Amino acid sequence: MKGLSAISILSKIEPLLLRVQKPSQYIGGETGSIVKDREKVRVSFAFCFPDTYEIGMSHLGMKILYGLINQREEFCCERVFAPDTDFEELMREQNIPLYALESLTPVADFDMIGFTLQYELAYTNILNMLDLAGIPIYAKDRGESLDKMIFAGGPCVCNPEPIADFFDFFILGEGEEVNLEVMDLYAQMKEKGASRSEFLCEAAKIEGIYVPSLYYVSYNENGTIKTVQPLENVPKIVRKRIIKDFDKVYYPDTFVVPFTEIVHDRSVVEVLRGCIRGCRFCQAGFIYRPFREKSPDTICSQAADLCRNTGYEELSLSSLSTSDHSEIDEMLTKLLEVTEEKRVSMSLPSLRVDNFSDALMEKIKRIRKSGLTFAPEAGTQRLRDVINKNVSDEEIMNTAEIAFSGGYFNVKLYFMMGLPTETDDDIAGIADIADRIIELFFKNPDRPRGKMVQVSVSIATFVPKPFTPFEFEPQATEEEVRHKQEHLVSSINPRNARRIKVSWHEFRISQLEGVLARGDRKLSDVIYEAWKNGSRFDSWSDRFKWECWEAAFEKCGIAPEFYASRRRDYDEIMPGDHLNYMVDKSFLIREHKKALRAETTQHCRKNCSGCGVNREVGRSCF
Amino acid sequence: MKTTVRMKFTKKGRAKYISHLDLMRCFQRCIRRAELPIAYSEGFHPHMQIVFAAALSLGFESDYEVIELGLSEALSFDEVQSRMQAVLPDGIDVISCYEPKHKMGQIAYAEYDIILPCQDSEKLLLQWNEFISQEKIIVEKKTKRGFREMDLKELTECLSEETRENALVLKLRLPAGSTVNVNPALLVEEFRKNEQVLFDFPKYCRKKLLCNEKTEFF
Ligand code: SF4
């Protein structure tokens, strides 16, 4: 399959494109896409998103790195997505290798091939993409030549062990600086004619680069990890990278604007990174520390550039919690001036319940009408204290009240099930919240007339993640989850049952996520087998096939429960313990103990709880 | 002062895979990027005043696409053309801007170049001539209410045939109005139904839009 040129890819795919859904996703040419003469660049980089175009194109990290790398004249960055099953079938039938969208060059002809790992359930897609590209799936089979260097970054890299066998290296933490450093190194070593292992040994010296083949993992008889030993002269512990001056960091002034509709089809400005809250279940809240924000002026000028250069009619803000921006009022006021002048509508996700002031609500009301979303996450105050989701009952009701007075009538609530220490009372509490919100609607004299209130309750199964205080906790088993679901349904007040819509995630998908999140290197073979059995797009419930995974676990002699539903001791070596995400293990243990006592921890701006990030960064966070 | 400008443009190369609906959205964004003083409709959800003439099938190229832009203030044709040209995606190029002459509803015909890649173009030409000189070419056309029979023979005007080394190139004129509309692919696929007829993936390009009197649509 190798050696096909761009022209021949084009002539091979043209007859196929009209036979597949949304053909424009496979042909590139969008405005904002950057096509360079590949003969003239020193390093070519294929940026792979292991999901479909409509999902991958919505991802902000890809837009940032795409712009950043292409800014450098001597590098080119092209985009690659997982083909949907209809096109994959035709590609395999016609021997068309996976190709990049800008120049329609086969992925196998790139120097560096980078994946972004946003969720564990995309792992089989990575294998499938490597296979479609004609690249050996296991890193050990790739020989000594320097080309086709396979690496990954993104949040899942905080525990990359389950996929360690497939990658040449990983990038830990924020990519804006380290991606360019590693490409510079690659350019030098390519021109020197270095071998693959020479390059990897050098790359491992860059802070934030983890080369898994240079670390040897041994296991205890009970299957837990005994040691992780560096084989060469590489750091024992690899530390993640962060951007110190977040206000000045590169941000693209335009995006690739797709022809076909994608999930988030709009301009996005990143307003802050990290989170001050410390919700104990939330991995993002720990691995993205410390908290940093952009000034309102920077945000506004980036928003104005993007609106002008993309032509998008909608702007949204990206962050873990926008309302924690220290100058939220000034920022929103200025932004609304920009967007109104440009006839751009603004959408505001992830605003926290406890931060909704009347004044802010007034501003938001002007721009948003259809519904309101909150995430109380747990049904009782006690359990919310356990998970450190500092939202009180009163605040939830208050927000609903303001929302109803403001003309909203659809409320969407997000909860988790299977949280540590959870009892049936906590589950019944979910039904109770939904019920009280409905009562509140009817009591509200200013409620929208002629509209019927609708509460959607969306329930995720809690998945313990590494680098959180709950990394020691077992995940709820199938029986436990089934019991909780039944208990919830029977707890709903029959009088309001038809105004409450409950939905949950499929148990097996959450369990698999749990296995992969805290898994070790023994899982690489399981993932390989599952892919061979036909697994891909595992996060899509209509494509997920548990049978493929079940057979794979069986063949490899591995029980998923070992990873998902086992309680870990504090002194057990976790698969990612040789990776430093700047948050101390002792802090996680402290937080875990507090959780079990249902004690809350104040947010970072109120009180530093000493997680260790400030020491690692070498300055205080606020 | 409100004015209306028509813009003729191409849709070629990768752009031919942009669906009609996506093209609409693409133009809306390009108009914003070009910062044209576009007029908006009245009402609660104002939308841009833009209208496309005669939708093009997905996968077809075109040298003759037309969009009409309602502007809220006058702007020279040159200015509209250069501002739009600067922001349009590859494959979509502005050919000209001008004042509307005909009503959109006057469009009645379209002319196409059809390239049929093949090994033996002389043989294919003979087969084509045989095919097109039949008395009737009856096909079923899907309509909103089931199927309807249609005689392509009486609706097709062959303007020219040309054999090239590895292709047969046909120039056809077909109805493209709101009442009668024939997609050239229908004819080509009918031709291909004969097992002896062998050609590769056909390429279509719309060359012209015409009014009832077969004069060019402006
Ligand atoms: S060092 Fe303190 S303020 Fe900084 S992130 Fe950790 S807990 Fe929060």
Side-chain angles (χ1 to χ4, degrees), chain A residues 275-276 285 289-291 582-583 587 602-605 607-615 619-622:
Chain A
C275 183
I276 60 173
R289 288 180 180 211
F291 179 90
M582 297 189 173
V583 175
F587 167 74
Q602 285 182 327
H603 68 66
C604 294
R605 200 176 265 139
N607 185 17
C608 168
S609 45
C611 75
V613 163
N614 50 1
R615 188 193 66 239
R619 67 173 190 222
S620 73
C621 297
F622 292 96

Side-chain angles (χ1 to χ4, degrees), chain A residues 280 381-388 420-421 470 473 570 587-601:
Chain A
R280 290 173 183 138
Q381 190 60 52
R382 184 200 71 82
L383 193 53
R384 283 196 296 275
D385 288 347
V386 169
I387 63 175
N388 204 41
T421 78
F470 291 157
E473 284 286 329
Y570 288 143
F587 167 74
L588 298 178
I589 295 174
R590 235 165 37 234
E591 279 293 293
H592 182 245
K593 289 180 175 163
K594 281 175 88 177
L596 298 183
R597 298 194 299 265
E599 269 176 41
T600 59
T601 293

Side-chain angles (χ1 to χ4, degrees), chain A residues 14 102 309-311 343, chain B residues 14 16-17 29 32-33:
Chain A
E14 281 218 81
E102 275 68 15
N309 296 331
T310 62
R343 278 178 179 270
Chain B
R14 304 193 200 202
K16 70 182 171 195
Y17 296 103
R29 289 171 182 165
R32 288 171 162 280
R33 280 200 291 274

